[in-house]
Amino acid sequence: MMDMGQPPDTYSEDKKYGNPRTFDPNFKGPVANRNCTDILCCIIFMLFIIGYILLGLIAWVHGDPRKVVFPTDSEGHFCGQKGTPTENKSILFYFNLFSCTSPSVMVNLQCPTTQICVSKCPEKFLTYVGTQFPYRKDKGSWTYFSQFCKSSFAKPEKTLSQMIMDDDCPTVIFPSRPLLQRCFPDFSFVNGTLTVGNKTVFEDGKGSTRNATELRAAAKSINKILDAKAIGVKVFEDYATTWYWILIGLTIAMLLSWIFLILLRFTAGFLFWVFILGVIGIIGYGIWYCYWEYKNLQGHHTSYLTIYDIGIQSDMNIYLQLRQTWLTFTIILSVLEVVIILMLIFLRNRIRLSIALLKEGSKAIGYIPSTLIYPVLTFILLSICISYWAVTAVYLATSGVPVYKIIAPGGPCKHENKTCDPEGFNTTEMSKACPGAQCIFSFYGGKTLYHQYINTFQMFNLFVFLWLINFVIALGQCTLAGAFASYYWALKKPDDIPPYPLFSAFGRAIRYHTGSLAFGSLILALIQMIRIILEYMDRRFKESQNNISKFLQCCLKCCFWCLEKVVKFLNRNAYVMIAIHGKGFCRSARDAFNLLIRNILKVAIMDKVTEFVLILGKILVAGCIGILAFLLFTQRIPMILEGPTSLNYYWVPLLTVVIGSYLVAHGFFSVYAMCIDTLFICFCEDLERNDGSTEKPYFIAPTLHGILNKKQLVPQKQKE
């Protein structure tokens, strides 16, 4: 993308000899005089946002989320909607549940039977024929049965065959209970036998006898759904009882994360070397144990055998009886031990440098504590993007008018799945050609230009959502990088740190570099969109793929996964360069890449050391909170603190606290990781720009002076 009005170049390159860049000695930190970068991409980004807003408005005009909230009967009416004849009838009732093959079909409103809205589900067994005979003496049975018919009838005058042909009433009703606003059979077990309303067999109203097992086969997995509902109620009760304890736990996790980051300046080296010595000790123990097993098998009847002699065996214990196996393990572990020790010896200075930068990062956050609050803003912006995407997707999915299709439960029909009009369908030629066929509501759609491109709009909605999500993350990274760069390039810390560094960095990122951040996030959004399409195609055509296509699909998914990781790494460092120099995205990405390549060994060590410390910190915070929550929710410390005593599943609030604490720690440590990346890039630039002399002093802290293999540095007065 083009960079219009770039600030003066802060470095030049010796093209003749291909030497590394020689930086401007007057450079003193983030460039103050900036111009807008990547303006073309900024314009495109704004146009996409305007289009996204217009799409949301159009979807909100045409969509109707009531189609998701309320079940719909066979005529397309919402059950329970206020201001309609079905206002007091919020439950959907199925005439012939035996026509439904699975609960998923019923939930999707595509069961091939008539569906009506009712105020309550049936509570007893009754058949249409059974209400005709006692009608003259007892009208109560028919009065109860008639509420499950399509329209009210004074008395059951029609014959059974005519009633079935007109599809006015069900042939039988049986005890049911509402689930997901739909009437499902009230299954239960009596002495290990499946029953419906305490009956194992019942009449189907057509002269046949059915049993509860057949009904359950028609509505399979209902009991699982009912169990899930019961579990959901209990989980909700546990959350209602422990919500304030969960908030207290998350608050403690936030405080622990902050304390851990501040103490890293004193504990980073200790944690790392303890871990390394532990790894060396564990591998050493493994070497001793494998050699001990090798010596013990000497003289055993299988000691002369080799892995080649016994071949491939399914029982792995056979291989453990061979001396060759333990000798192989001993050699592998010994080589690994030697490699680790040699790496520690030869890379000790770089490891010390990485640990020193970790400590410096802790100091930087201590001087700019407002950076720890920034993840809250990122969370709010991400929540807005996710909510807008979800609402727009729902309104797009519910755009349209009711579409009715012909369903023939009695057998094959040439008109099946064709659209139809429920009014007067019984008098059409299609109804006569397919006896027993029904015109039933299927889905919401339409034939207008807007409805024809619903799927395209959904794809656009998803793509812009990915773009915005990546832009918000990029904005946060660039803002934090600008704040921490201001800290590094302050000669006298903290006196020379500019006021409100975080706010100033945020303003620079929004005012000058929206286009550059949009450019980087656009590249990442395109890759993620391709990955989603590949995943969709894999699931869509999974059964029809051969081995070659599956292999190619797997290779493509793997390649784009790796590409996404690489682009995220490059983008992250490009945003740091943008925050420092104010260049465009392409220029910043190139400069960051070249700088990191010239310091590739430092980059690898720094990345792994930082990753280890942060993972350890997350586990430490989540583990501490998890232990406290376990003791509290299981009533192990009633003498110290009495927790909730009536939990159904103590692991529900426990897992919530542990996962929530991990996410809170991740939010804090993401700031710390960005701080380390920024300081590292500034540090590499500092070494290339300056030489430690009086004219060109280093900006690094005095704690790093003794680690560098450079000429003696000029002391600087800095506050620790």
Side-chain angles (χ1 to χ4, degrees):
M1 308 304 292
M2 65 178 182
D3 297 338
M4 300 183 62
Q6 290 286 4
D9 196 359
T10 57
Y11 42 79
S12 59
E13 185 173 6
D14 189 340
K15 298 181 180 179
K16 181 176 181 180
Y17 299 102
N19 292 332
R21 299 177 182 276
T22 302
F23 295 91
D24 181 6
N26 297 321
F27 179 77
K28 300 297 182 183
V31 176
N33 298 323
R34 300 173 181 240
N35 291 316
C36 296
T37 57
D38 295 311
I39 297 178
L40 179 59
C41 193
C42 180
I43 294 173
I44 295 174
F45 183 58
M46 293 302 175
L47 291 177
F48 266 77
I49 291 179
I50 294 173
Y52 197 33
I53 295 174
L54 292 177
L55 175 63
L57 293 176
I58 295 173
W60 295 341
V61 170
H62 291 84
D64 190 350
R66 294 175 303 176
K67 299 169 184 176
V68 178
V69 177
F70 299 102
T72 310
D73 65 12
S74 296
E75 297 181 357
H77 300 144
F78 298 130
C79 298
Q81 181 185 355
K82 293 184 178 181
T84 64
T86 59
E87 179 178 359
N88 297 322
K89 299 179 179 181
S90 59
I91 306 173
L92 194 67
F93 174 76
Y94 299 87
F95 271 23
N96 184 11
L97 201 59
F98 290 102
S99 300
C100 306
T101 58
S102 69
S104 62
V105 172
M106 289 182 283
V107 171
N108 291 328
L109 303 176
Q110 293 179 354
C111 182
T113 186
T114 301
Q115 303 140 36
I116 64 171
C117 300
V118 295
S119 58
K120 62 179 181 178
C121 295
E123 299 174 349
K124 56 184 177 180
F125 285 100
L126 272 179
T127 63
Y128 177 77
V129 175
T131 61
Q132 288 181 310
F133 295 105
Y135 173 74
R136 294 181 180 179
K137 298 181 180 179
D138 181 15
K139 298 182 180 180
S141 297
W142 170 248
T143 302
Y144 183 83
F145 187 90
S146 63
Q147 64 182 320
F148 302 103
C149 296
K150 287 169 54 174
S151 56
S152 59
F153 296 93
K155 52 185 178 180
E157 294 179 328
K158 293 185 179 180
T159 62
L160 177 63
S161 58
Q162 177 144 15
M163 189 274 300
I164 295 176
M165 182 66 66
D166 295 339
D167 198 31
D168 291 326
C169 299
T171 58
V172 62
I173 59 174
F174 39 77
S176 306
R177 52 179 171 177
L179 175 62
L180 302 176
Q181 292 184 275
R182 292 160 177 83
C183 291
F184 287 125
D186 187 9
F187 291 114
S188 61
F189 283 93
V190 178
N191 298 325
T193 303
L194 181 67
T195 64
V196 177
N198 295 325
K199 287 187 177 182
T200 56
V201 295
F202 54 89
E203 295 182 3
D204 65 354
K206 299 179 182 179
S208 301
T209 302
R210 299 291 187 101
N211 57 48
T213 305
E214 292 180 79
L215 186 59
R216 188 181 184 184
K220 59 184 178 180
S221 301
I222 292 294
N223 282 338
K224 294 182 180 179
I225 299 177
L226 296 177
D227 292 341
K229 181 185 178 183
I231 293 175
V233 172
K234 293 181 180 179
V235 168
F236 178 79
E237 292 174 351
D238 290 341
Y239 277 130
T241 305
T242 61
W243 65 270
Y244 53 92
W245 291 109
I246 294 175
L247 291 180
I248 293 174
L250 297 181
T251 303
I252 297 175
M254 182 180 66
L255 295 176
L256 283 179
S257 301
W258 184 79
I259 294 173
F260 183 85
L261 292 180
I262 298 302
L263 293 180
L264 271 181
R265 73 174 70 177
F266 310 109
T267 60
F270 173 77
L271 292 175
F272 177 80
W273 289 114
V274 166
F275 172 77
I276 290 297
L277 292 177
V279 170
I280 293 175
I282 292 173
I283 296 178
Y285 172 78
I287 294 172
W288 172 83
Y289 181 80
C290 293
Y291 182 75
W292 181 75
E293 288 286 350
Y294 172 77
K295 293 293 290 183
N296 283 345
L297 289 174
Q298 187 174 6
H300 196 269
H301 67 278
T302 61
S303 61
Y304 65 91
L305 295 176
T306 64
I307 297 176
Y308 178 79
D309 294 330
I310 65 174
I312 300 176
Q313 301 291 333
S314 58
D315 187 2
M316 300 303 296
N317 291 324
I318 296 177
Y319 295 102
L320 298 180
Q321 299 175 10
L322 305 178
R323 295 186 71 202
Q324 189 183 56
T325 301
W326 294 106
L327 179 61
T328 303
F329 287 161
T330 304
I331 295 173
I332 293 174
L333 292 177
S334 299
V335 171
L336 182 61
E337 184 90 329
V338 171
V339 169
I340 292 177
I341 294 174
L342 290 177
M343 288 179 61
L344 292 176
I345 293 174
F346 289 105
L347 301 177
R348 62 186 184 279
N349 287 332
R350 290 184 172 86
I351 293 175
R352 289 173 60 201
L353 174 62
S354 300
I355 294 174
L357 281 175
L358 289 176
K359 296 178 180 179
E360 191 67 17
S362 179
K363 289 176 58 179
I365 292 178
Y367 287 136
I368 315 177
S370 57
T371 54
L372 293 177
I373 306 175
Y374 190 84
V376 177
L377 176 61
T378 300
F379 174 78
I380 293 173
L381 294 177
L382 290 177
S383 300
I384 293 174
C385 294
I386 294 172
S387 301
Y388 187 89
W389 166 76
V391 171
T392 303
V394 169
Y395 273 87
L396 283 173
T398 56
S399 297
V401 295
V403 175
Y404 303 87
K405 288 193 173 184
I406 299 174
I407 295 178
C413 171
K414 63 179 181 179
H415 300 294
E416 193 168 9
N417 289 327
K418 290 184 178 180
T419 56
C420 58
D421 185 359
E423 296 183 5
F425 172 74
N426 293 333
T427 61
T428 62
E429 294 295 330
M430 292 185 291
S431 175
K432 296 177 181 178
C434 302
Q438 302 173 5
C439 182
I440 292 179
F441 166 79
S442 180
F443 59 91
Y444 291 95
K447 297 182 179 180
T448 64
L449 185 64
Y450 168 77
H451 295 108
Q452 292 176 2
Y453 286 94
I454 289 293
N455 292 333
T456 304
F457 293 148
Q458 288 283 21
M459 294 287 288
F460 179 80
N461 181 34
L462 177 60
F463 174 73
V464 181
F465 165 71
L466 295 175
W467 195 354
L468 288 174
I469 289 293
N470 288 296
F471 177 82
V472 170
I473 296 174
L475 177 62
Q477 292 174 345
C478 189
T479 299
L480 293 173
F484 292 125
S486 300
Y487 163 83
Y488 184 93
W489 295 107
L491 190 61
K492 295 181 180 180
K493 303 176 179 62
D495 296 338
D496 290 346
I497 299 177
Y500 311 110
L502 182 67
F503 180 79
S504 300
F506 180 80
R508 289 195 300 266
I510 287 292
R511 181 178 178 182
Y512 298 110
H513 306 303
T514 297
S516 298
L517 301 180
F519 192 6
S521 55
L522 171 62
I523 297 173
L524 201 53
L526 288 172
I527 296 173
Q528 292 171 344
M529 194 70 183
I530 294 174
R531 288 192 62 198
I532 292 174
I533 293 174
L534 288 174
E535 190 67 31
Y536 170 78
M537 292 176 62
D538 184 36
R539 294 179 180 274
R540 182 70 174 80
F541 305 106
K542 193 170 185 178
E543 297 182 356
S544 60
Q545 290 179 342
N546 54 34
N547 293 332
I548 297 178
S549 61
K550 289 181 180 178
F551 173 77
L552 294 176
Q553 187 86 0
C554 183
C555 290
L556 285 173
K557 290 165 65 175
C558 180
C559 290
F560 277 97
W561 179 84
C562 295
L563 180 61
E564 181 181 356
K565 296 297 181 182
V566 172
V567 171
K568 281 184 177 180
F569 176 78
L570 294 177
N571 282 8
R572 186 183 182 92
N573 292 284
Y575 299 146
V576 176
M577 299 298 282
I578 291 173
I580 297 174
H581 298 291
K583 304 287 182 173
F585 176 79
C586 293
R587 179 71 173 274
S588 299
R590 183 192 65 186
D591 295 338
F593 179 77
N594 291 334
L595 183 65
L596 295 176
I597 287 297
R598 294 195 295 270
N599 299 271
I600 187 64
L601 198 55
K602 293 188 183 77
V603 172
I605 296 174
M606 185 74 236
D607 182 64
K608 294 306 175 184
V609 172
T610 304
E611 181 181 1
F612 157 71
V613 173
L614 295 186
I615 290 177
L616 189 63
K618 295 174 188 177
I619 294 175
L620 181 64
V621 171
C624 291
I625 300 300
I627 292 173
L628 292 176
F630 175 78
L631 296 176
L632 179 67
F633 295 140
T634 56
Q635 297 294 309
R636 302 296 176 93
I637 50 174
M639 300 298 296
I640 302 176
L641 184 63
E642 185 176 358
T645 58
S646 59
L647 295 179
N648 299 296
Y649 309 108
Y650 74 87
W651 51 266
V652 171
L654 176 61
L655 287 180
T656 303
V657 169
V658 171
I659 295 175
S661 300
Y662 184 87
L663 294 177
V664 169
H666 177 75
F668 275 84
F669 294 162
S670 63
V671 174
Y672 184 73
M674 197 67 212
C675 176
I676 298 302
D677 288 346
T678 304
L679 295 182
F680 180 72
I681 288 181
C682 293
F683 170 74
C684 293
E685 284 208 17
D686 194 9
L687 295 185
E688 295 187 355
R689 290 180 181 277
N690 307 305
D691 56 12
S693 62
T694 306
E695 296 78 14
K696 299 168 61 177
Y698 288 115
F699 285 78
I700 55 177
T703 53
L704 296 171
H705 288 179
I707 300 175
L708 296 175
N709 293 323
K710 299 283 182 179
K711 60 185 292 187
Q712 183 64 35
L713 305 178
V714 176
Q716 303 170 15
K717 295 181 180 179
Q718 297 185 15
K719 295 181 180 181
E720 293 294 333

